[in-house]
């Protein structure tokens, strides 16, 4: 199942829908403005909370967490010592790890578990520059969690580029 994301809307305070490939509303993103730290809530079409995405305030490397039911489900951060491309890892609460690899900046990357692709994130399916799709490839995969991981990676990369641009000025 493919989900359509308009990335320019990933600003804190913006609320918007993520649609499925049929154009139906699948997930609602609620950006929380009045919080001390960056927080997004991901809800299903009926309004049930699927995940809460938070930027960790204190960490050596920029880190985001995905919570469900008040518990951390996934911790997402850039992997250390990668030479050619950005690689992120999403560590599950169980200790298992998902890898996020590919062309992260241009939104052409995969989320993998033990070498098996669970989801592909891609812009190439769309003409609009600020739109990309998250194609959840396995029917038994947790679509909400994979979408939340993609959102985390997107936010972390944007923040990294903002900081890089500040240092160039």
């Amino acid at each position: 199942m493919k989900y359509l994301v308009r990335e320019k809307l990933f600003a804190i305070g913006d609320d918007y829908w993520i649609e499925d490939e049929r154009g139906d509303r699948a997930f609602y993103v609620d950006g929380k403005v009045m919080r001390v730290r960056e927080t997004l809530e991901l809800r299903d079409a009926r309004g049930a909370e699927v995940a809460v995405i938070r930027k960790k305030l204190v960490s050596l490397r920029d880190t985001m967490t995905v919570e469900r039911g008040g518990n951390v489900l996934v911790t997402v951060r850039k992997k250390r010592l990668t030479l050619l491309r950005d690689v992120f890892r999403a560590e599950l609460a169980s200790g298992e790890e998902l890898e996020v690899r590919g062309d992260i900046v241009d939104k052409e990357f995969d989320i993998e578990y033990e070498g098996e692709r669970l989801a592909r994130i891609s812009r190439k399916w769309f003409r609009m520059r600020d739109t990309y799709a998250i194609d959840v490839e396995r029917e038994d995969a947790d679509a909400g969690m994979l979408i939340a991981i993609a959102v985390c990676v997107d936010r972390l990369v944007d923040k990294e580029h903002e900081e890089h641009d500040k240092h160039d000025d």
Side-chain angles (χ1 to χ4, degrees), residues 17-92:
W17 285 94
I18 294 174
E19 298 172 350
D20 66 19
E21 59 195 11
R22 296 180 303 273
D24 296 329
R25 292 176 168 182
F27 295 96
Y28 181 70
V29 179
D30 185 1
K32 299 297 182 183
V33 178
M34 302 307 286
R35 303 279 171 95
V36 173
R37 59 184 173 171
E38 186 174 331
T39 303
L40 299 167
E41 290 181 359
L42 183 66
R43 299 185 175 279
D44 68 17
R46 296 178 314 278
E49 185 179 283
V50 174
V52 175
I53 302 165
R54 299 184 198 275
K55 170 104 173 49
K56 284 187 112 177
L57 286 177
V58 180
S59 62
L60 294 175
R61 290 178 286 156
D62 280 340
T63 302
M64 294 189 85
T65 60
V66 177
E67 300 173 9
R68 186 175 287 157
N71 298 311
V72 174
L73 181 66
V74 182
T75 302
V76 180
R77 65 177 56 97
K78 190 171 185 177
K79 201 168 183 175
R80 289 186 206 171
L81 302 174
T82 55
L83 299 175
L84 299 175
R85 291 185 175 245
D86 288 336
V87 177
F88 285 77
R89 74 171 189 208
E91 186 178 328
L92 305 177

Side-chain angles (χ1 to χ4, degrees), residues 93-132:
S94 64
E96 296 171 294
E97 188 175 289
L98 304 179
E99 287 216 349
V100 181
R101 61 174 72 237
D103 187 347
I104 307 284
V105 174
D106 286 329
K107 307 290 186 294
E108 298 292 334
F109 60 90
D110 297 327
I111 300 174
E112 301 175 347
Y113 175 68
E114 294 184 348
E116 180 184 354
R117 185 169 58 206
L118 301 177
R120 162 145 297 175
I121 290 70
S122 180
R123 272 195 176 130
K124 69 181 176 184
W125 296 309
F126 301 99
R127 291 194 174 123
M128 297 179 294
R129 180 76 179 138
D130 63 347
T131 303
Y132 64 93

Side-chain angles (χ1 to χ4, degrees), residues 133-145:
I134 300 170
D135 186 5
V136 177
E137 296 189 353
R138 289 185 47 151
E139 286 188 29
D140 63 341
D142 183 339
M145 180 187 70

